[in-house]
C-alpha cells in the first residue's frame, strides 16, 4: 500500500468505528499529512479494507493499531523519526491523537453515559481507551495466562510479555539524557494527559482521564496501559504526594464503589517492600474482575465490640485478611481506620511482628473495597515490612527459595491472587521442560533445584503432561509467595496469634 492509501484506510477505519465524523475527514487528513511532512495528497484507487498484514488476517479490533504501525514504519524509512522505540511510540500516539476528542469532550460524554448507568459510562470509556491504543491490546494479547487449583481456590497466573524490551541503543540513549526534568513529575501525574513524551518518558498524546469528585478533591480515573485483568483501572490524586493509608483512603475507596458498584477499588500498602512499584504518587487500582481472594470464604467470624453492626471475619487465604461487611459505609470507614491504627502499633515478638525499629514504622494495610448486593465489603490485608539478616529483602516477603519465580514486591494485585511474573520465565520454563524430558537444554542454575524437586515428586510422567505439571508447580510457588507474605501463618501458632490480635482489637 502507498502512504496515501494507508492514510485513507486509517481515516476510513476511524469513520467505521465512529471515532470521527465524515465532516472531520479533511481536517484529520491534513493533520496526518503535517506529521508526515507531506504537502500533497491524492485519492488513489481504492484498496480492499485493511484486513490482512503480511498474509495474516488482522484482528478487527486491532486494524487501527496495524495501520498506525505501518505509517510509523513509513516515517522511520523516510527518516522522519529515528529508529528508536520511544521515538516511534511518540509518533504513533500523535497519529492516533488526530482522531481523539479533547479531555473536556471525553469527560462530558462519560458523565452523560453515567446518567444512564455507571456501567455504560465505564464500558464506553474502556472501549475508547482501547481504540485510542492507550490500552495496548496487541501487546497484552502476548501475555500467558493460566489458573492453578489450590486449597484456597484457583490462583491466577500471568507471565507478563506485554511490555516490549528496549534494544541496547535505546537504553544507552536514555542513560545519556539529563535527569533534571521534572515535568511530568512521575508516570501517574495528571500532566501526562496529552504529553507528547520524550526519551525515557512514555508517549501520552493519546491519553485521556475522567475527573471524579472525591469529597473536597478531584481525582482522575484512567485505565492501565497494560491491563493485567478486565478493566484494570487507576484512580490517582491531582496532587503529586506520597502514598498514605489513612481514614481518607477508606472514605475514597468506599465512595468510589458506591458510585461504581460493578467495580472493586483497592490500594497498595504505603511502605517499601510491601507497597507497590510507585509509592511517590497517591493512587488506587480497581476494575471489573473477580479475584481469587474476593471469592475466598470466611474462616472465623467475630464481633468488633466498638462496631456491633458490622460483620467481621478472617478470610481463608494464605495472607492475613480481615473482612468487614455492612450497609453503613460511614461505619465501615470508622472500623477500618480503627483496625489500621491498632495494627500500626501492634507487636508480637513470638512470630516476628514488630511495629517499629526505633522510630521506623513496619505495620500497614493493603485495603480493598467492593459491593456485595446492598452491602459494602472491605478486605484489610495486614502487612509488615521488617527485615533481618536471614531475610534482608523482607521477613514477610517472598523468601529466597521462590526468587527464581518471583522476587519482586507483593503489591495489591498479587495480594488478591493474581501472580504477575517476569517475561524471562517464558523461555526459562521451556528449558525446564526440556530438562524434565531428558532433552538437551540450557536450564538456568537457579531453576535446577526446582526441576530436580519436580522429578523426585512425580517420578515418571508422560512427556505430554510436563507443560501442565510445570504450570501447577508455578502456581504452588506463587502460593508459597503469598504464604511468605502472610504475617499470621496458616498453622496452629500463626492462627493463635491472629486470634490474639483480634482479642487486642476488642480490649
Amino acid at each position: 500500500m502507498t502512504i496515501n492509501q494507508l492514510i485513507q484506510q486509517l481515516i476510513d477505519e476511524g469513520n467505521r468505528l465512529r471515532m470521527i465524523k465524515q465532516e472531520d475527514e479533511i481536517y484529520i487528513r491534513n493533520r496526518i499529512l503535517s506529521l508526515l511532512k507531506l504537502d500533497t495528497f491524492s485519492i488513489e484507487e481504492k484498496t480492499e479494507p485493511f484486513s490482512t498484514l503480511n498474509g495474516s488476517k488482522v484482528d478487527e479490533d486491532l486494524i487501527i493499531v496495524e495501520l498506525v504501525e505501518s505509517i510509523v514504519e513509513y516515517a522511520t524509512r523516510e527518516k522522519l523519526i529515528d529508529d528508536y522505540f520511544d521515538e516511534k511510540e511518540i509518533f504513533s500516539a500523535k497519529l492516533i491523537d488526530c482522531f481523539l476528542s479533547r479531555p473536556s469532550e471525553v469527560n462530558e460524554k462519560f458523565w452523560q453515559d453515567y446518567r444512564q448507568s455507571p456501567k455504560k459510562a465505564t464500558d464506553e470509556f474502556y472501549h475508547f481507551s482501547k481504540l485510542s491504543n492507550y490500552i495496548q491490546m496487541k501487546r497484552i494479547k502476548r501475555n500467558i495466562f493460566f489458573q492453578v487449583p489450590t486449597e484456597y481456590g484457583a490462583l491466577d497466573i500471568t507471565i507478563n510479555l506485554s511490555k516490549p524490551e528496549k534494544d541496547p541503543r535505546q537504553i544507552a540513549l536514555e542513560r545519556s539524557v539529563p535527569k533534571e526534568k521534572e515535568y511530568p513529575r512521575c508516570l501517574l501525574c495528571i500532566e501526562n494527559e496529552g504529553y507528547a513524551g520524550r526519551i525515557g518518558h512514555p508517549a501520552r498524546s493519546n491519553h485521556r482521564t475522567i475527573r471524579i469528585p472525591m469529597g473536597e478533591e478531584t481525582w482522575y480515573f484512567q485505565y492501565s496501559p497494560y491491563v493485567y485483568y478486565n478493566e484494570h483501572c487507576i484512580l490517582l490524586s491531582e496532587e503529586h504526594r506520597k502514598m498514605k493509608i489513612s481514614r481518607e483512603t477508606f472514605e475514597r475507596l468506599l465512595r468510589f464503589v458506591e458510585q461504581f458498584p460493578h467495580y472493586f477499588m483497592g490500594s497498595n500498602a504505603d511502605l517499601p517492600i510491601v507497597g507497590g512499584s510507585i509509592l511517590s504518587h497517591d493512587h488506587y487500582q480497581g476494575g471489573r474482575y473477580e479475584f481469587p481472594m474476593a471469592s475466598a470464604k470466611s474462616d472465623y467470624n467475630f464481633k468488633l465490640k466498638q462496631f456491633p453492626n458490622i460483620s467481621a471475619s478472617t478470610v481463608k487465604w494464605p495472607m492475613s485478611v480481615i473482612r468487614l461487611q455492612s450497609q453503613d459505609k460511614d461505619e465501615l470507614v470508622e472500623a477500618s481506620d480503627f483496625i489500621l491504627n491498632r495494627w500500626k502499633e501492634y507487636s508480637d515478638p513470638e512470630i516476628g511482628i514488630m511495629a517499629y525499629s526505633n522510630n521506623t514504622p513496619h505495620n500497614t494495610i493493603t485495603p480493598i473495597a467492593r459491593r456485595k448486593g446492598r452491602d459494602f465489603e472491605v478486605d484489610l490485608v495486614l502487612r509488615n515490612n521488617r527485615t533481618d539478616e536471614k531475610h534482608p529483602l523482607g521477613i514477610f516477603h517472598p523468601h529466597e527459595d521462590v526468587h527464581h519465580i518471583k522476587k519482586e514486591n507483593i503489591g495489591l494485585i498479587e495480594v488478591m491472587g493474581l501472580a504477575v511474573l517476569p517475561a524471562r520465565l517464558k523461555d526459562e520454563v521451556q528449558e525446564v521442560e526440556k530438562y524434565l524430558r531428558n532433552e538437551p537444554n540450557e536450564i538456568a542454575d537457579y531453576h535446577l533445584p526446582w526441576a530436580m524437586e519436580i522429578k523426585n515428586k512425580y517420578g515418571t510422567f508422560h512427556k505430554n503432561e510436563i507443560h501442565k505439571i510445570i504450570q501447577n508447580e508455578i502456581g504452588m510457588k506463587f502460593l508459597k509467595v503469598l504464604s511468605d507474605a502472610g504475617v499470621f501463618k496458616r498453622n496452629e501458632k500463626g492462627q493463635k496469634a491472629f486470634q490474639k490480635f483480634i482479642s487486642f482489637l476488642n480490649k
Side-chain angles (χ1 to χ4, degrees):
M1 249 190 259
T2 67
I3 186 59
N4 284 348
Q5 288 171 325
L6 284 171
I7 291 169
Q8 192 58 48
Q9 286 277 23
L10 183 59
I11 290 170
D12 290 346
E13 189 64 13
N15 262 317
R16 184 185 74 81
L17 295 170
R18 298 182 181 177
M19 296 175 72
I20 61 172
K21 296 179 180 177
Q22 194 169 2
E23 297 91 329
D24 302 322
E25 189 171 317
I26 295 171
Y27 168 78
I28 289 169
R29 180 197 301 146
N30 285 332
R31 288 190 64 191
I32 295 171
L33 291 175
S34 176
L35 285 173
L36 293 167
K37 302 194 183 311
L38 296 172
D39 53 16
T40 62
F41 180 86
S42 60
I43 300 178
E44 302 171 4
E45 183 181 344
K46 281 278 187 179
T47 60
E48 290 299 313
F50 188 92
S51 59
T52 61
L53 184 68
N54 298 328
S56 301
K57 188 168 179 60
V58 176
D59 187 327
E60 191 174 85
D61 293 338
L62 300 177
I63 291 176
I64 285 261
V65 177
E66 299 287 1
L67 283 164
V68 166
E69 287 182 357
S70 296
I71 294 174
V72 171
E73 286 175 12
Y74 165 87
T76 306
R77 285 196 309 272
E78 296 297 315
K79 310 296 184 186
L80 300 173
I81 58 175
D82 292 328
D83 190 12
Y84 292 118
F85 175 79
D86 283 355
E87 286 281 349
K88 291 189 280 190
E89 291 288 281
I90 288 167
F91 195 82
S92 171
K94 285 180 178 178
L95 275 174
I96 292 177
D97 187 44
C98 295
F99 292 81
L100 304 183
S101 304
R102 292 184 178 186
S104 58
E105 298 166 326
V106 174
N107 275 261
E108 183 178 358
K109 182 181 188 311
F110 181 90
W111 291 110
Q112 284 176 350
D113 291 336
Y114 185 88
R115 284 192 282 273
Q116 294 184 48
S117 79
K119 183 178 175 298
K120 179 175 173 57
T122 56
D123 282 352
E124 292 292 326
F125 185 53
Y126 191 58
H127 181 62
F128 170 87
S129 299
K130 289 192 290 186
L131 285 182
S132 69
N133 202 38
Y134 184 73
I135 298 176
Q136 301 270 347
M137 290 306 298
K138 181 178 178 180
R139 294 174 186 164
I140 291 162
K141 289 185 178 186
R142 300 172 188 162
N143 291 344
I144 296 169
F145 179 86
F146 55 93
Q147 292 184 310
V148 176
T150 74
E151 61 182 297
Y152 303 98
L155 296 179
D156 295 337
I157 313 292
T158 181
I159 297 177
N160 180 22
L161 304 174
S162 57
K163 291 187 179 180
E165 294 184 14
K166 297 179 181 180
D167 66 47
R169 295 178 308 133
Q170 165 85 27
I171 294 169
L173 191 61
E174 287 183 20
R175 288 173 179 164
S176 70
V177 173
K179 302 298 181 187
E180 62 269 11
K181 292 182 179 179
E182 292 189 359
Y183 184 90
R185 292 185 64 180
C186 78
L187 295 175
L188 290 178
C189 280
I190 184 57
E191 288 81 13
N192 284 281
E193 187 174 45
Y195 184 67
R198 58 178 184 262
I199 298 298
H201 190 102
R204 292 290 182 259
S205 294
N206 57 337
H207 180 34
R208 303 291 186 268
T209 64
I210 303 299
R211 280 66 175 160
I212 305 280
M214 285 281 156
E216 296 180 358
E217 295 184 335
T218 297
W219 281 55
Y220 294 80
F221 173 83
Q222 65 177 70
Y223 290 103
S224 171
Y226 295 100
V227 293
Y228 291 134
Y229 51 85
N230 187 46
E231 298 182 40
H232 177 187
C233 64
I234 300 170
L235 188 67
L236 56 98
S237 67
E238 182 171 33
E239 180 186 353
H240 178 78
R241 64 188 184 218
K242 291 183 178 180
M243 293 277 294
K244 181 177 173 59
I245 303 298
S246 64
R247 188 181 191 282
E248 288 74 22
T249 303
F250 306 122
E251 287 178 343
R252 295 185 195 111
L253 296 180
L254 286 162
R255 181 178 287 120
F256 183 88
V257 298
E258 182 177 40
Q259 292 182 79
F260 300 92
H262 57 299
Y263 274 19
F264 79 89
M265 186 60 69
S267 175
N268 276 307
D270 54 353
L271 295 179
I273 296 175
V274 297
S277 57
I278 301 179
L279 297 181
S280 60
H281 195 118
D282 207 2
H283 72 284
Y284 313 131
Q285 295 181 78
R288 183 157 53 153
Y289 187 73
E290 182 82 359
F291 276 89
M293 193 179 79
S295 304
K297 304 299 182 185
S298 295
D299 209 14
Y300 168 74
N301 297 312
F302 62 93
K303 284 290 183 183
L304 288 169
K305 186 167 64 175
Q306 296 194 41
F307 306 95
N309 297 322
I310 286 180
S311 298
S313 65
T314 62
V315 178
K316 186 180 179 183
W317 191 247
M319 296 186 72
S320 307
V321 187
I322 293 176
R323 179 167 290 165
L324 307 178
Q325 289 180 320
S326 176
Q327 292 184 19
D328 189 332
K329 176 168 60 73
D330 296 331
E331 190 175 22
L332 272 181
V333 169
E334 296 297 334
S336 299
D337 188 49
F338 169 79
I339 293 172
L340 170 66
N341 289 321
R342 284 296 184 102
W343 173 244
K344 286 166 73 172
E345 303 298 322
Y346 188 76
S347 294
D348 188 342
E350 288 187 15
I351 57 169
I353 295 173
M354 302 297 293
Y356 294 92
S357 295
N358 298 321
N359 294 320
T360 301
H362 294 306
N363 287 350
T364 187
I365 278 176
T366 300
I368 303 102
R370 63 183 76 88
R371 293 295 295 271
K372 287 287 181 76
R374 296 178 62 190
D375 285 343
F376 292 92
E377 183 173 274
V378 175
D379 283 349
L380 304 173
V381 188
L382 307 179
R383 312 298 304 273
N384 178 287
N385 79 338
R386 197 165 70 85
T387 63
D388 61 12
E389 289 185 9
K390 184 178 179 182
H391 301 295
L393 297 182
I395 298 170
F396 303 102
H397 177 83
H399 292 172
E400 194 171 352
D401 62 324
V402 297
H403 284 179
H404 65 109
I405 298 294
K406 178 73 173 175
K407 187 177 181 179
E408 299 78 14
N409 291 7
I410 303 307
L412 173 68
I413 294 172
E414 285 88 3
V415 162
M416 295 186 292
L418 170 58
V420 181
L421 302 181
R424 62 177 173 82
L425 286 177
K426 177 179 181 288
D427 294 332
E428 291 179 359
V429 163
Q430 289 175 0
E431 297 304 314
V432 174
E433 290 184 14
K434 290 177 187 177
Y435 172 87
L436 295 176
R437 289 194 296 264
N438 297 314
E439 297 174 359
N441 63 80
E442 297 179 6
I443 186 171
D445 290 343
Y446 48 76
H447 285 311
L448 195 54
W450 178 49
M452 294 172 67
E453 181 185 307
I454 293 171
K455 266 193 174 182
N456 292 334
K457 179 178 178 179
Y458 290 91
T460 58
F461 40 69
H462 196 279
K463 289 184 177 181
N464 293 337
E465 298 174 334
I466 289 176
H467 184 67
K468 187 64 177 176
I469 285 171
I470 288 287
Q471 287 189 339
N472 285 336
E473 292 301 315
I474 289 173
M476 292 304 104
K477 286 289 183 179
F478 180 53
L479 178 57
K480 174 65 165 52
V481 162
L482 295 179
S483 299
D484 287 346
V487 294
F488 298 113
K489 303 305 181 188
R490 297 288 306 182
N491 54 33
E492 185 178 355
K493 182 179 180 180
Q495 292 307 291
K496 280 185 178 178
F498 206 168
Q499 297 282 333
K500 182 180 172 184
F501 174 65
I502 290 168
S503 298
F504 173 74
L505 292 177
N506 281 320
K507 284 185 178 178

